[in-house]
Amino acid sequence: MQFSNFDKVLFLDFDHTCYDTDTFLLQEIRHPMLERFKIPTKEWEESYERAVRAGYSLEQHLIELNKITKDSLCSEEEMKSFGKTIKFDKYLYEDVVPFLKKAKEKGYRIILLSFGAPSWQDKKVLGVGLNKLVDTIKYTKKESSKMEVLKELARNYKKVIFI
């Protein structure tokens, strides 16, 4: 049986699957923020966890940080300036592009699915050029809703692979 492009789909999770999110977080976010803004580690960790639950972005991280600290450790302008120094482009795992090209050759429609604030996720996805290799990008700010989105979209296909 010959499959058409809409008979099979590959759903691909972004963070920790395509993108070395842990290294990115340490090298581009955690260490630089701790050093630049002199944020106590405990407060940074707590504010980061809270920001992730809300759908991470630098703006959300600042909001959560300001909720748990007595003094404002940095301003919105300082955080925006910090954001301009982040290198989003170097954390794509090296086997992702060849894998996606092979999936395309085999006729798979590729949908990237990711949890997080869409504007933040876009910086990472566009930063590594993954938008040029996938057919559709879906973001969800609600962590538990990723599976719901997957189930809804998967109904249209005969063969579904989720990575």
Side-chain angles (χ1 to χ4, degrees), residues 13-138:
D13 189 34
F14 181 71
D15 285 305
H16 307 285
T17 303
C18 295
Y19 199 71
D20 188 354
T21 309
D22 293 332
T23 302
F24 167 77
L25 177 64
L26 285 173
Q27 292 182 0
E28 301 294 333
I29 307 296
R30 187 179 189 277
H31 293 316
M33 279 180 76
L34 290 173
E35 186 177 309
R36 182 172 180 166
F37 302 120
K38 307 298 183 223
I39 300 169
T41 303
K42 182 181 180 216
E43 281 81 356
W44 188 93
E45 296 288 343
E46 184 180 338
S47 61
Y48 172 77
E49 290 300 322
R50 291 167 77 169
V52 166
R53 285 192 297 273
Y56 189 85
S57 68
L58 290 178
E59 295 79 14
Q60 188 63 43
H61 197 155
L62 180 60
I63 290 167
E64 299 302 333
L65 187 61
N66 287 335
K67 286 180 185 176
I68 62 173
T69 59
K70 293 181 177 127
D71 301 314
S72 178
L73 300 173
C74 69
S75 68
E76 189 174 333
E77 292 79 29
E78 290 172 312
M79 189 62 83
K80 284 181 183 177
S81 175
F82 169 74
K84 292 177 182 172
T85 68
I86 297 171
K87 296 176 187 80
F88 292 95
D89 63 340
K90 61 183 195 175
Y91 298 95
L92 188 69
Y93 289 120
E94 63 184 39
D95 58 348
V96 172
V97 171
F99 174 79
L100 292 180
K101 287 180 178 179
K102 189 62 111 173
K104 282 287 200 187
E105 287 172 14
K106 298 208 180 263
Y108 280 89
R109 181 168 173 76
I110 301 170
I111 300 176
L112 186 71
L113 184 59
S114 191
F115 163 70
S119 61
W120 180 253
Q121 293 304 99
D122 253 356
K123 289 177 182 180
K124 294 185 289 182
V125 171
L126 299 177
V128 295
L130 209 53
N131 57 307
K132 297 172 187 163
L133 297 170
V134 301
D135 298 296
T136 305
I137 301 171
K138 293 284 185 182

